[in-house]
Each structure stands twice: as C-alpha cells, then as structure tokens.
Amino acid sequence: MLSKDLLVVGAGPAGLATAIQAAKNGVKDITVVDLNMKPGGQLFKQIHKFFGSHEHRAGIRGMDTGAAMLEEAQSLGVDIWLNSACVGFYDDKVACIEQGQPDGTKKIVFMKPKTIAICTGGQENVVRFTGWTTPGVMGAGAAQTMVNVNKVQPGKKIVMLGTGNVGLIVSYQLMQSGCDVVCLVEALPGINGYGVHASKISRAGVPIYTKHTIKEVKGNGPNGRVSEVTIVEIDPKFNHIPGTEKTFEADTVTLAAGLKPVSDLVKLQDIDLVFNGPFGGWVPVHNEKMQSTCKGIYVAGDTTGVEEANTALEEGNVAGVSIAEELGCITAAEADAKRKEIWERLDGLRMGPFGERRAAAKKEVMEQFPGVRA
Amino acid sequence: MARIDDEMLVCRCEEVTVGEIREAIAQGAFDVVGVKRRTRAGMGLCQGRTCEKMVQQLISMELGVAPNETGVSSTRPPVRPVSYGALAEGVF
Ligand SMILES: Cc1cc2nc3c(=O)[nH]c(=O)nc-3n(C[C@H](O)[C@H](O)[C@H](O)COP(=O)(O)OP(=O)(O)OC[C@H]3O[C@@H](n4cnc5c(N)ncnc54)[C@H](O)[C@@H]3O)c2cc1C
C-alpha cells in the first residue's frame, strides 16, 4: 500500500490550490487524483473571461487560470494522476483509487495518506418534466464541455432552461459554436444572471421567456431524440397556466438549474453533514481551518457549498495551510497569520447582494462545527 | 406546483417512476433511504447522483415537510463504477 503525506481528491481550483499551498508550506509527498482527462475541474471548459473582483483574476479566462495552477503544482513536485477516480474509503482512512494507466487501462491501488483533502466540486441538478429522459436532454455543463473541450456541437437547435450565469454563458458559447439557440426559459419573473451576459443574447435576437417552464419534450427525432419542446407560463405558485403553451422545434434541451455539492466520498467518512439551501443541499460541516469533523480530513470548494472558482481556490489555500500545520511543517502561529490573510480575501469575495447570502450560509455551516473526532 | 404524472421516470438507472415512489411513501417511507429500500431508486449505476434531489422533492411535496427533513442517502464504495476484475487485481 502506498503511503503519502497528502491525498487530494479533485483537481479543480479547490484541489489544486490545496496541493500548491501545502507544498509551498513544506508538505512533501502529495498526490492529486481527478477522474477527468484534464486537470482544472470546471475551469478547463471556461473559455470566457471571469467576472469577479480586482485581485481575483477578473478578466482572465478560466481555462488560463486552470493551466497556470497546473503548471505551478507540477513545478512544486505535486504528483497529479488524471483519468483516476477515488472510488471509496475503507477502514482507517485507506483510499481506494482506480488509477488510469498510460495505455488507457485502469488499475486499482490503495493508499494510506496522513491527510486527505476532499475537493470533489459540484454536480448539475436535473429538472423533471414530461420527457426529461429523452436523448438530447442534458446538463448545460455537459453541453459546454462538448463545445469548448471536445469541439462537438451537442445539437443544432437548442432550448436552454435557466438564466443564471451558467445558462447565459453556455447559451452564448453554443451560439458562438454555430448552434441555433431557439430560446431561454426561466421560471423566475426576471433574468437570474448578470445583465452583461443577458444583453449579448438579447442583442442576437434570441428570446428569453421569464415566468415560463418546460412542460413537455417529445422524442420523435432520429433514435428517439428530442424533436419538439413545449413551454408554458407559470403563476407565482409554479402552476402551469393552461392555454399559454408555445411549441418549438428543437433537437436538444440544456438544463442550467444550479448545482449541488458532490458529497459521496464525504459520506464514507465520519463527517457530519448539514442541509443548506443556498449552498445547494447537504454539505460537510467544517471550521475556519477547512477541517471536517473527521481528524486528518479537510474539505474545500463547491463540495462545501456551491459558489465560484475564486472562493473554491481561496478555501483550498486555507486547507493547504492547515494541512501543513497538522503535519508539523509550520507552527500554529504561522498558520493562523496565513489563514487570517486568506479569510480577508474570502470575506471580500462574499460581498454584494449575491455574496452576502453566501457569507451568511458559510457562517451557518461553520457554527454547526462540533469539533474534530479522532 | 403542477401535479406530476405517475408515469414520469425519476430514477433512470433503475427505472423507478413517480407513481412507484408515491406508493412507497404511502407504505410508510418518509426519507430518501426508505424510498431507496422499497423501490431501488438511487441504487443503480450513478448511485443516486442524478435522482436523489428529485426523490427529496417528491417526499417533501407528498408529506409537506422541508427538504432537510427528507434525509440523505447512504453511500457505499465503490462510488463510481469499477469492474470486478480491476477490484480483484487491486494490490492492498
Ligand atoms: C458554465 C459555468 C461558468 C462558470 N463561470 C464562472 C465564473 O465566471 N467565475 C467564477 O468564479 N466561477 C465560475 N463558475 C464556477 C466555478 O467553475 C466553480 O465554482 C469551481 O470550478 C469550483 O471548484 P472546485 O474545485 O470546488 O470544483 P470543480 O471545479 O468542480 O472540480 C472538482 C473536480 O473533482 C473531480 N472529482 C469529483 N469526484 C471525484 C472522485 N471520486 N475521484 C476523482 N476526482 C473526482 C471532478 O472530476 C472535478 O474535476 C462557472 C461554472 C460553470 C459550470
């Protein structure tokens, strides 16, 4: 069995930042595993320039941030295993990893790390309507991976459900790739994302139907694929208003209805979970060191509540510092000083109307922390 | 909220419908694990990653409880599909 100082699960901004920060503070033997072929988590498909604050890479494309972080991690000697999923934890915090081999096959290896950081990110929510399992209905993130990473169009005529930033950005990127975005559909009375993104879409003449939802998708296309989408107006209680249906010809429906934290690995450890609405569901309880309730296990990023790349990255920085402290590479006083600086940046990111809600949610989660169990 | 058809699929891995979940709730299931035991919803290839939230919503709608009162599903390794061959060859 392999022994390591630190195993990081997930090579998104949270996981990479954890590894980089731990290495910079003296942690030696670090492995990062990710089930994707490319590191960077959600970042690798973000070809757009990021919104956000001054010192926080606003204006830089997500994929460039991902590439820079990967380079930094590698230059610090961090071992990165791609195409490799952590499939479970067994007794005594032994991790079971399905390691991708150069020839494309997989091998199971067991690892007993001194510390573990779980940075598994978020996952898209599905929405149910008649026909939601029809081929051609997919997550907006999946469609984004197809156009931006694999350079494949998910379809020709697309209906987007959801007008948060993900729905708006992915719609625009689908249009840039030559797809015909038929319309966007939003249950709320107004557009849910930033005006700059929405106006790009409106300027191109694509209609956005607010107070609407998808009523039914018909699958009469080739191989049962989506052929028709019917949308309907809804009242404030989300009841369909009969007679307001509109039907569009389309072969693809993309769902941008938010994300939820991926908590499968967290649940295999002695880690307390708490339900948090604004954060997307069940999240691991943690303290200001990003320590979970299970000794030696840290959490960071969207796993601890769905937010954004910069908060994920800064939480990873906190976790990296705390891991270096636990392993005795830096003193408690040094760690406290570093964490204080990072938390100031985190507080800065959680300002404004959207940010304040997340700041309150984070506080709520941390207030539940009962202490670390051995 | 519009009434959801009984025929609609919730767990596509195990092909469990809204009607079957309603029936499980009528039989006494009051949380995600209870529904899972009775219907297999969430026990397929994706281990409930897709349907868990929908099951939570259905329970909360049917019983009029808050989403956090519908519980959280249990998890067992492997959390991602792995072949028996690979598992058997694993070196401990
Ligand atoms: C369309 C879109 C646009 C966005 N735009 C912005 C923006 O403009 N600005 C901004 O700040 N944020 C943006 N975000 C949000 C941002 O991308 C995420 O908040 C951020 O990537 C979260 O980082 P993370 O490291 O927590 O998780 P992720 O980036 O999701 O990384 C988690 C990684 O863990 C891996 N993983 C999960 N389980 C396992 C396992 N069992 N074994 C191995 N690996 C595993 C996954 O494959 C993944 O690579 C956007 C998101 C989307 C979807």
Side-chain angles (χ1 to χ4, degrees):
Chain A
M1 181 152 36
L2 294 168
S3 64
K4 294 271 172 184
D5 287 335
L6 167 61
L7 166 66
V8 180
V9 184
L16 287 176
T18 304
I20 290 170
Q21 203 54 237
K24 276 186 174 166
N25 284 289
V27 178
K28 285 280 170 303
D29 204 2
I30 305 174
T31 299
V32 180
V33 300
D34 197 293
L35 49 87
N36 282 317
M37 307 289 275
K38 283 191 185 179
Q42 300 281 350
L43 283 179
F44 71 82
K45 58 187 183 192
Q46 310 305 345
I47 59 169
H48 61 286
K49 291 187 177 159
F50 267 32
F51 44 85
S53 75
H54 22 292
E55 78 238 32
H56 269 108
R57 299 164 203 86
I60 299 179
R61 293 175 203 280
M63 57 181 199
D64 296 336
T65 301
M69 291 183 81
L70 172 68
E71 217 170 277
E72 188 173 7
Q74 280 169 334
S75 73
L76 288 162
V78 172
D79 205 7
I80 298 177
W81 298 0
L82 297 174
N83 200 14
S84 301
C86 176
V87 297
F89 293 116
Y90 294 91
D91 280 356
D92 221 14
K93 296 171 199 151
V94 168
C96 176
I97 297 159
E98 193 188 30
Q99 186 193 40
Q101 305 298 314
D103 66 359
T105 60
K106 305 258 177 119
K107 201 174 100 188
I108 292 282
V109 293
F110 292 90
M111 188 189 280
K112 188 167 166 47
K114 289 191 188 119
T115 55
I116 299 171
I118 301 179
C119 306
T120 47
Q123 191 206 329
E124 297 189 281
N125 289 325
V126 288
V127 181
R128 54 174 154 58
F129 41 76
T130 304
W132 74 272
T133 54
T134 308
V137 179
M138 65 182 80
Q144 194 189 35
T145 305
M146 290 173 82
V147 280
N148 292 354
V149 180
N150 303 318
K151 314 281 191 250
V152 181
Q153 290 179 332
K156 296 282 172 229
K157 288 169 93 75
I158 301 174
V159 173
M160 174 71 75
L161 182 67
T163 63
N165 284 322
V166 172
L168 295 175
I169 291 169
V170 174
S171 292
Y172 192 66
Q173 291 173 352
L174 287 166
M175 286 154 63
Q176 285 177 316
S177 81
C179 299
D180 174 9
V181 175
V182 180
C183 63
L184 283 75
V185 184
E186 169 63 57
L188 297 175
I191 290 163
N192 205 11
Y194 290 143
V196 272
H197 296 311
S199 56
K200 279 191 199 165
I201 290 162
S202 302
R203 270 204 303 272
V206 176
I208 301 180
Y209 294 100
T210 53
K211 286 191 241 166
H212 274 75
T213 193
I214 293 179
K215 184 180 178 192
E216 184 175 4
V217 166
K218 282 214 169 79
N220 296 325
N223 299 318
R225 189 180 170 114
V226 174
S227 55
E228 224 177 80
V229 180
T230 300
I231 68 169
V232 64
E233 201 177 319
I234 49 177
D235 68 17
K237 288 186 167 157
F238 295 97
N239 291 308
H240 296 177
I241 304 175
T244 60
E245 291 86 355
K246 289 186 184 64
T247 298
F248 301 97
E249 203 186 291
D251 60 7
T252 305
V253 177
T254 47
L255 308 176
L259 288 94
K260 62 177 179 199
V262 172
S263 57
D264 44 9
L265 288 177
V266 171
K267 284 195 265 176
L268 293 175
Q269 300 280 7
D270 180 23
I271 293 177
D272 289 2
L273 296 175
V274 60
F275 187 88
N276 191 291
F279 275 165
W282 292 89
V283 296
V285 180
H286 62 81
N287 62 8
E288 75 295 338
K289 297 179 176 180
M290 301 315 291
Q291 229 171 350
S292 74
T293 53
C294 183
K295 187 168 183 335
I297 302 187
Y298 293 75
V299 288
D302 280 359
T303 322
T304 68
V306 172
E307 294 193 72
E308 51 178 40
N310 292 318
T311 45
L313 195 153
E314 296 291 11
E315 286 193 350
N317 282 335
V318 173
V321 167
S322 304
I323 289 163
E325 180 192 356
E326 173 163 342
L327 293 173
C329 304
I330 53 173
T331 65
E334 283 169 335
D336 279 339
K338 287 179 194 233
R339 274 191 296 259
K340 187 165 172 277
E341 232 174 73
I342 305 168
W343 269 103
E344 272 162 20
R345 295 202 294 270
L346 270 169
D347 291 341
L349 286 167
R350 292 179 180 131
M351 285 193 313
F354 289 106
E356 272 163 22
R357 264 185 74 210
R358 294 189 276 114
K362 193 52 53 174
K363 196 159 155 257
E364 230 180 276
V365 170
M366 294 202 298
E367 273 168 6
Q368 314 269 326
F369 194 72
V372 178
R373 292 185 289 266
Chain B
M1 189 63 96
R3 167 91 186 166
I4 309 158
D5 290 342
D6 275 343
E7 295 76 44
M8 193 187 290
L9 271 183
V10 176
C11 169
R12 65 201 306 182
C13 301
E14 294 288 321
E15 300 192 351
V16 183
T17 63
V18 169
E20 286 169 291
I21 290 176
R22 283 197 175 118
E23 199 183 310
I25 295 169
Q27 286 170 5
F30 54 85
D31 61 8
V32 176
V33 175
V35 167
K36 180 170 166 176
R37 288 208 185 102
R38 287 174 176 83
T39 64
R40 293 193 58 82
M43 290 175 86
L45 207 59
C46 92
Q47 289 291 292
R49 272 200 299 280
T50 309
C51 71
E52 180 173 350
K53 217 164 178 168
M54 288 198 282
V55 173
Q56 279 169 355
Q57 284 167 357
L58 274 172
I59 299 170
S60 107
M61 279 162 75
E62 293 290 310
L63 298 177
V65 297
N68 61 327
E69 291 174 71
T70 59
V72 60
S73 74
S74 48
T75 308
R76 256 168 225 94
V79 300
R80 307 271 160 168
V82 184
S83 74
Y84 275 116
L87 260 187
E89 281 168 20
V91 276
F92 199 78

